[in-house]
Amino acid sequence: MTTDLGPSAVTATAVRKVYGDHVVLDGIDLDIPAGSVFALLGPNGAGKTTVVQILSTLIRADAGDMRVAGHDVVRDPDAVRATIGVTGQFSAVDSFLTGEENLLLMADLNRLPRRERRPSAAELLARFDLVDAARKPAATYSGGMRRRLDLAMTLVGRPRVIFLDEPTTGLDPRSRRTMWEIIRRLVNDEGVTVFLTTQYLEEADRLADRIAVLHRGKVVAEGPPEELKRQVGGGHVTLRFADPRGYDHAARTLDVMSRNDETRTLQIPSQGDLRSLRALLDRLDHASLTVDELQVHTPDLDDVFFALTGNPVTEQEPAR
C-alpha cells in the first residue's frame, strides 16, 4: 500500500482489542508512510501501549488486519520481528553489564556475524556519545545515558521500523532534546520509520510528520500537526489593560471571547496572522485605547488534545 508520502511502513485496518467487558481498541485504522515519524497521542490508559504491543507481535488483536514492513503481523510474526525494534516505557538495559556488553549481548541475540559484533557496538557507542562510558556498568549511567543506550540496543538489528513507547518519560529537558535529535536523524539520514507514543505534546509537535489522537478506543483525529491545529481553531489575542475605563470601553467595543474583570484582561478571537493582528491594533488605535500587555495565542497541540479528548481523565487499561 502507498500513501501520498510514499509506501506504507505500517498499516492497520479495523483493529479491535477487548479485555473482559472493556473495549480498549474499537476498530482503529492506521496508515504510516515509510521514512516518517508517526505519533500516537491519547490520555493515560487510552490504549497507546496496546497498539504498540499488537503491531510488535507481543500480544494478539481480537480482530483486524495489520502489516508491518510489508509482513502480516498475524500470519508472519517472525518476519515482522526481524524488521522492527522496540523501546518500551521502561529501560531494557542490564544494569550489571557495561554499555559495550549490553550492545554485544544484543548483537548475539540478533545473530549478527561474529566479525560484525564489536564493530557494530563501537559504531553505536560513538553515535550515541557513549564511548567514554562504554566500559562502565550501566548502573552508573544517568537517565539520559540509559535511554540512549536503550535506543542503541534497539538499533543493533538494523530495524526498518522502530516503536518508541514514551521514550523520554522521566528525562530532564536537555536529555529529552538530545533524544529528539537522535530520533530525527534516524529518520532523515537512514530512512527509518518511527512509531512514537508520548505524553509530551511538544515532543509530538517537534518530531511527528503525522499524528493520530486515540480516545475511548477510537482514532478521533489524524493528520499533520499543522492541519490538526487549523481544524481545532481557538486562536486569540489576550489584551491586558491598566486603566479600568479603557478596559470597560474595550469590552464594549471589541468582539470579546472572554473577560476577566479581576486582571482586566480580554480574549479577542484571532487567526494569529499579521493581517488580523494589524486590524485589531488599528481598532485599538482608532478608539484611543492603551493596552498594557498583548499576547498572541495560536492553536497548539494542547488545544487539539483537549478539544478532542475533553478533560485529561485517566482511562485505565486493564491488566494483561
Side-chain angles (χ1 to χ4, degrees):
M1 183 179 294
T2 60
T3 69
D4 293 339
L5 298 179
S8 298
V10 178
T11 60
T13 304
V15 177
R16 183 174 173 83
K17 185 65 178 178
V18 179
Y19 290 102
D21 59 355
H22 181 70
V23 179
V24 179
L25 303 176
D26 191 11
I28 70 166
D29 299 328
L30 299 173
D31 194 349
I32 303 170
S36 68
V37 179
F38 175 85
L40 185 62
L41 305 181
N44 288 337
K48 302 184 299 295
T49 296
T50 300
V51 174
V52 170
Q53 291 177 327
I54 289 172
L55 292 174
S56 59
T57 76
L58 293 176
I59 63 175
R60 296 193 66 156
D62 296 320
D65 297 317
M66 300 139 286
R67 299 185 72 84
V68 175
H71 305 290
D72 189 287
V73 171
V74 175
R75 295 185 180 88
D76 201 358
D78 289 340
V80 171
R81 294 173 192 135
T83 61
I84 67 172
V86 181
T87 297
Q89 295 179 22
F90 305 101
S91 174
V93 172
D94 188 320
S95 297
F96 295 101
L97 300 180
T98 67
E100 182 182 48
E101 289 168 342
N102 270 283
L103 290 169
L104 291 174
L105 174 61
M106 290 303 297
D108 288 341
L109 294 174
N110 280 275
R111 298 179 181 177
L112 260 63
R114 186 169 297 276
R115 65 180 180 280
E116 296 181 15
R117 294 176 186 177
R118 288 194 177 277
S120 175
E123 188 272 330
L124 288 167
L125 288 166
R127 187 197 301 190
F128 287 86
D129 194 23
L130 293 169
V131 173
D132 291 342
R135 303 292 175 88
K136 298 177 182 178
T140 65
Y141 287 16
S142 67
M145 293 170 67
R146 288 177 68 89
R147 291 309 273 172
R148 296 206 306 274
L149 177 59
D150 202 14
L151 183 53
M153 291 165 62
T154 299
L155 296 180
V156 169
R158 304 184 184 96
R160 302 310 304 159
V161 178
I162 300 176
F163 294 94
L164 301 179
D165 192 12
E166 300 188 18
T168 63
T169 296
L171 296 187
D172 62 78
R174 184 184 299 275
S175 297
R176 188 174 300 132
R177 289 177 183 272
T178 299
M179 285 292 288
W180 293 352
E181 293 171 3
I182 291 171
I183 292 168
R184 182 41 73 181
R185 283 201 302 269
L186 283 172
V187 176
N188 292 345
D189 298 344
E190 301 183 26
V192 171
T193 304
V194 172
F195 187 113
L196 171 73
T197 74
T198 179
Q199 292 293 330
Y200 301 109
L201 299 182
E202 181 190 6
E203 183 166 278
D205 206 1
R206 290 286 191 93
L207 287 175
D209 300 297
R210 297 184 71 82
I211 290 172
V213 181
L214 186 64
H215 184 51
R216 301 191 185 281
K218 295 182 178 293
V219 174
V220 294
E222 195 270 336
E226 294 306 316
E227 179 181 310
L228 294 180
K229 294 173 192 175
R230 286 195 299 270
Q231 291 175 3
V232 169
H236 61 265
V237 174
T238 300
L239 306 175
R240 185 170 66 83
F241 296 84
D243 177 25
R245 288 180 297 179
Y247 169 70
D248 290 334
H249 186 193
R252 294 193 304 269
T253 304
L254 302 175
D255 301 321
V256 177
M257 289 174 56
S258 65
R259 58 184 290 171
N260 186 321
D261 294 337
E262 183 177 345
T263 59
R264 298 195 193 101
T265 57
L266 303 174
Q267 286 191 354
I268 312 300
S270 173
Q271 296 299 317
D273 59 358
L274 186 59
R275 176 179 296 180
S276 60
L277 183 58
R278 184 183 292 117
L280 174 60
L281 293 175
D282 288 343
R283 292 188 65 183
L284 292 168
D285 187 54
H286 182 73
S288 300
L289 292 171
T290 301
V291 177
D292 192 55
E293 183 179 331
L294 181 151
Q295 294 181 343
V296 179
H297 175 82
T298 56
D300 56 23
L301 281 186
D302 288 68
D303 297 309
V304 173
F305 186 84
F306 292 120
L308 294 171
T309 66
N311 293 327
V313 177
T314 299
E315 304 169 2
Q316 295 296 330
E317 281 190 73
R320 307 302 186 254

